[in-house]
Amino acid sequence: MPPANTLPAWAELQTHRENVGKNFVLKEAFASDKDRFEKFSRTFSSAGVSADIIFDFSKNFLTGETLDLLLKLAQQAGVERKRDAMFAGEKINFTEKRAVLHTALRNVGGWEMKVDGKDVMNCSRGVNDVLKHMKEFSDQVRSGEWKGFSGKKLNTIVNIGIGGSDLGPVMVTEALRYYGANDMTLHFVSNIDGTHMAEALKHSNPDTTLFLVASKTFTTAETCTNANTAKHWFLEKTGGKGDIAKHFVALSTNEAEVTKFGIDSRNMFGFESWVGGRYSVWSAIGLSVVIYIGFDNFHKFLSGAHAMDKHFREAPLKHNIPIIGGLLSVWYSDFFQAQTHLVAPFDQYLHRFPAYLQQLSMESNGKSISSDGSSVKYTTGPILFGEPCTNAQHSFFQLVHQGTKLIPTDFILSAKSHNPISGNQHQKMLASNYFAQAEALMVGKTDDQVKAEGTPDDLTPHKRFLGNRPTTSILVGGTIGPAELGALIVYYEHLTFVEGAVWDVNSFDQWGVELGKVLAKKILKELDEPGDGEGHDNSTVGLIGVFKKYANS
Ligand SMILES: O=P(O)(O)OC[C@H]1O[C@@H](O)[C@@H](O)[C@@H](O)[C@@H]1O
């Protein structure tokens, strides 16, 4: 594909940015068009979700012409063709020669989905078989039919995994805590820092603990080390009487390594290499979620996700919500030099959502090489960050309101709270902040307004808000249940897809995480050898020496 910045629509967007975008004043756009909200908001409605989800794009630097030009860019960049290739199981992960078919994992609509001519839904050990196994196993654990070695019901789940084998399950179990089993304690151990495992095991009872070793490759250093530590703890605490088969299961694609670790392959929940780690919460990697919220709720989670897949696959571009979200990100990144994307959920249950999206977005599009192997000449993946509001308002929102950077921001709110305590007062205050932040970021506060409050002249500039900061408001028209959460995640998955398709990078590999791993392996050996390491720069040698001196003193 020709580089994105050589596509005709790119040049048109550049001219449009000079003529319109640069001088675009959001509050004036609203003043001159009373239908702006209707024009630029989209409603996601589907039988797959229990509530509509409104995506209000109207507080963005967007005119009808901008949208047309962005859609033209999407067409010229082949976004639809690439999307269809993904759903068709083509090997669009071209550096690893793999299909990208996580959409099959939530294919509750019965689409035909094939890789290399094989029906991945109905083949032996395919998607439907694994789901069935997950249902049976989770029902047994939840009901107590599955017992630990001493005959007790299991009530503690320790998921051992990192990256995609951790962030999805953590985020989703937190987001759906309202639906979670009250008699179950969940721990997610990811960090190689022994503190993480030690704290999880501190109050755990080996008789009632189930370990889920989650690793696509089953070779990740942190996970293998943590899993071995857990195994030793379990065997030691049970005086060798503990039955690994009753307390350890594996969620992986690598049967050979799973068996080598000592987990019976009957206790393995598999998936295929066409599921990327950051897209794996829908697969066997989601077993902790299923055990916690029950299979029926997990099925709703898949249904909401599938509904958004269907929308992305079938809705015309102009109404296609992830397409618009992705193109807006390109618009800000490449034509306004925005470097970031802030996602702030007004929802405490979603407190790990931004962390999850960080891997999704930055591991997917933090790339600078395009499909022909050349370096891109434009900005790609934004730095995604976020925290739940209203907390974030009292920490870094100072910079969002008055700093020097343009920070396109998404706000997320549900109309109804799962916890409408104090006569729903909390929810109303939360909602009022959700509306107020988007409005404040847009309208700002002029010097005249500041002065009219009696502010002395020397303070006026400090209290000025320039405003004109773009936001997208996402409003779930009910509570955020499993289906709505599924749809929200998939909105961001496909938004990320659209960005990567325009930028012509491979959104599905992650070579950038490798170098550090290799060096750490070499240095680990050196820490046990005499000397301060071989072939390092002077700083690294110095630091290793100091570490050894203090660590061994
Ligand atoms: O699930 P495993 O194979 O342990 O990988 C865990 C994580 O490792 C990282 O280095 C990345 O490759 C992530 O994409 C991946 O999710």
Side-chain angles (χ1 to χ4, degrees):
M1 207 196 84
N5 62 339
T6 63
L7 297 171
W10 189 280
E12 285 184 72
L13 278 161
Q14 248 160 354
T15 311
H16 179 68
R17 141 92 182 140
E18 286 308 305
N19 298 340
V20 180
K22 210 167 69 181
N23 310 312
F24 192 80
V25 180
L26 277 166
K27 60 182 173 188
E28 286 172 11
F30 277 95
S32 64
D33 182 1
K34 62 175 177 36
D35 296 329
R36 188 170 168 84
F37 172 68
E38 284 74 26
K39 240 180 236 170
F40 293 112
S41 55
R42 302 283 182 270
T43 300
F44 175 72
S45 264
S46 160
V49 288
S50 348
D52 288 349
I53 309 178
I54 289 83
F55 293 79
D56 176 17
F57 296 111
S58 65
K59 291 196 191 81
N60 281 289
F61 298 163
L62 196 58
T63 65
E65 192 189 355
T66 320
L67 187 55
D68 289 344
L69 287 174
L70 288 169
L71 294 174
K72 211 165 158 185
L73 180 68
Q75 272 154 351
Q76 291 173 5
V79 173
E80 288 165 285
R81 181 175 40 77
K82 292 177 184 175
R83 172 198 64 191
D84 296 344
M86 171 170 74
F87 283 104
E90 287 176 31
K91 309 226 158 114
I92 61 166
N93 175 354
F94 54 86
T95 57
E96 296 180 308
K97 300 195 173 38
R98 286 177 182 163
V100 174
L101 213 58
H102 47 274
T103 51
L105 302 165
R106 55 216 189 200
N107 174 22
V108 299
W111 286 337
E112 182 183 81
M113 299 195 100
K114 288 185 171 172
V115 173
D116 291 329
K118 186 166 123 189
D119 173 358
V120 300
M121 300 303 303
N122 301 306
C123 63
S124 158
R125 300 165 92 181
V127 173
N128 288 330
D129 272 2
V130 176
L131 275 175
K132 196 163 155 256
H133 190 192
M134 287 165 78
K135 176 173 164 32
E136 280 163 11
F137 181 73
S138 61
D139 284 349
Q140 286 176 348
V141 172
R142 284 168 66 86
S143 69
E145 192 188 330
W146 183 284
K147 293 185 180 16
F149 76 97
S150 60
K152 293 195 179 123
K153 181 177 190 277
L154 304 179
N155 61 14
T156 304
I157 312 289
V158 181
N159 186 85
I160 302 171
I162 198 164
S165 301
D166 169 69
L167 282 162
V170 175
M171 183 276 282
V172 175
T173 49
E174 284 298 305
L176 300 178
R177 186 183 268 265
Y178 180 77
Y179 302 83
N182 288 327
D183 61 351
M184 224 169 247
T185 304
L186 259 61
H187 297 284
F188 291 89
V189 178
S190 49
N191 204 329
I192 192 60
D193 182 348
T195 296
H196 212 175
M197 182 59 85
E199 285 294 333
L201 297 181
K202 200 151 91 182
H203 302 296
S204 298
N205 177 352
D207 293 41
T208 54
T209 300
L210 174 67
F211 293 94
L212 310 180
V213 186
S215 176
K216 176 176 169 177
T217 55
F218 228 80
T219 55
T220 304
E222 289 92 332
T223 301
C224 293
T225 307
N226 279 328
N228 273 307
T229 301
K231 190 164 93 174
H232 289 133
W233 173 87
F234 177 74
L235 292 173
E236 197 189 309
K237 289 275 171 190
T238 58
K241 282 192 268 127
D243 185 352
I244 295 278
K246 293 194 163 124
H247 291 264
F248 281 77
V249 303
L251 324 174
S252 186
T253 59
N254 191 342
E255 189 171 335
E257 285 299 322
V258 166
T259 317
K260 217 154 106 195
F261 177 83
I263 295 180
D264 195 318
S265 60
R266 277 170 305 180
N267 293 336
M268 171 175 159
F269 296 79
F271 56 106
E272 297 294 327
S273 64
W274 39 259
V275 180
R278 52 196 174 273
Y279 303 91
S280 64
V281 69
W282 323 97
S283 73
I285 293 292
L287 188 62
S288 54
V289 179
V290 190
I291 296 173
Y292 188 49
I293 66 171
F295 188 82
D296 289 350
N297 280 321
F298 189 73
H299 193 266
K300 285 184 190 158
F301 177 59
L302 301 183
S303 302
H306 179 68
M308 187 59 89
D309 282 336
K310 188 169 157 60
H311 169 85
F312 178 56
R313 202 176 179 186
E314 295 173 1
L317 289 197
K318 212 170 186 150
H319 299 282
N320 198 308
I321 298 167
I323 295 254
I324 299 174
L327 290 172
L328 274 174
S329 174
V330 172
W331 179 225
Y332 291 125
S333 296
D334 295 295
F335 299 89
F336 291 85
Q337 282 69 52
Q339 295 291 323
T340 58
H341 180 178
L342 166 60
V343 180
F346 283 72
D347 193 309
Q348 190 55 31
Y349 282 132
L350 293 187
H351 71 110
R352 295 297 286 160
F353 196 50
Y356 173 81
L357 294 183
Q358 279 182 344
Q359 186 194 14
L360 170 62
S361 172
M362 299 204 272
E363 199 173 60
S364 296
N365 289 335
K367 318 267 163 80
S368 54
I369 302 298
S370 59
S371 62
D372 66 1
S374 62
S375 296
V376 297
K377 306 280 186 303
Y378 40 83
T379 292
T380 59
I383 299 160
L384 193 147
F385 72 112
E387 275 290 315
C389 277
T390 55
N391 300 25
Q393 290 165 217
H394 299 271
S395 57
F396 60 80
F397 266 44
Q398 164 64 40
L399 184 146
V400 184
H401 282 280
Q402 285 189 315
T404 53
K405 294 180 178 60
L406 175 73
I407 303 179
T409 300
D410 295 353
F411 291 135
I412 305 171
L413 176 79
S414 61
K416 287 193 178 143
S417 170
H418 285 300
N419 302 296
I421 56 170
S422 302
N424 209 29
Q425 177 68 2
H426 293 262
Q427 181 66 7
K428 279 192 218 150
M429 285 177 69
L430 185 69
S432 66
N433 278 278
Y434 163 85
F435 297 118
Q437 285 299 324
E439 190 172 40
L441 285 166
M442 175 171 77
V443 299
K445 200 170 186 181
T446 62
D447 282 2
D448 288 347
Q449 288 170 314
V450 176
K451 278 191 187 131
E453 290 172 347
T455 308
D457 283 357
D458 59 336
L459 261 189
T460 300
H462 297 279
K463 294 180 124 188
R464 174 199 304 143
F465 290 71
L466 292 177
N468 213 33
R469 281 150 211 249
T471 56
T472 296
S473 297
I474 301 173
L475 182 56
V476 178
T479 51
I480 299 182
E484 293 69 39
L485 179 69
L488 283 174
I489 298 171
V490 173
Y491 164 68
Y492 283 100
E493 274 187 7
H494 293 324
L495 179 158
T496 305
F497 179 91
V498 172
E499 292 174 333
V502 172
W503 289 325
D504 191 30
V505 296
N506 182 357
S507 301
F508 301 101
D509 60 12
Q510 55 283 317
W511 302 104
V513 301
E514 295 304 324
L515 180 58
K517 289 185 196 174
V518 175
L519 290 183
K521 220 171 177 177
K522 172 178 183 304
I523 293 175
L524 178 63
K525 268 219 232 103
E526 291 167 353
L527 294 182
D528 284 331
E529 289 164 359
D532 299 338
E534 286 289 311
H536 302 290
D537 60 89
N538 185 250
S539 162
T540 307
V541 168
L543 286 168
I544 291 176
V546 174
F547 172 81
K548 282 189 168 182
K549 185 174 131 205
Y550 287 116
N552 300 329
S553 66

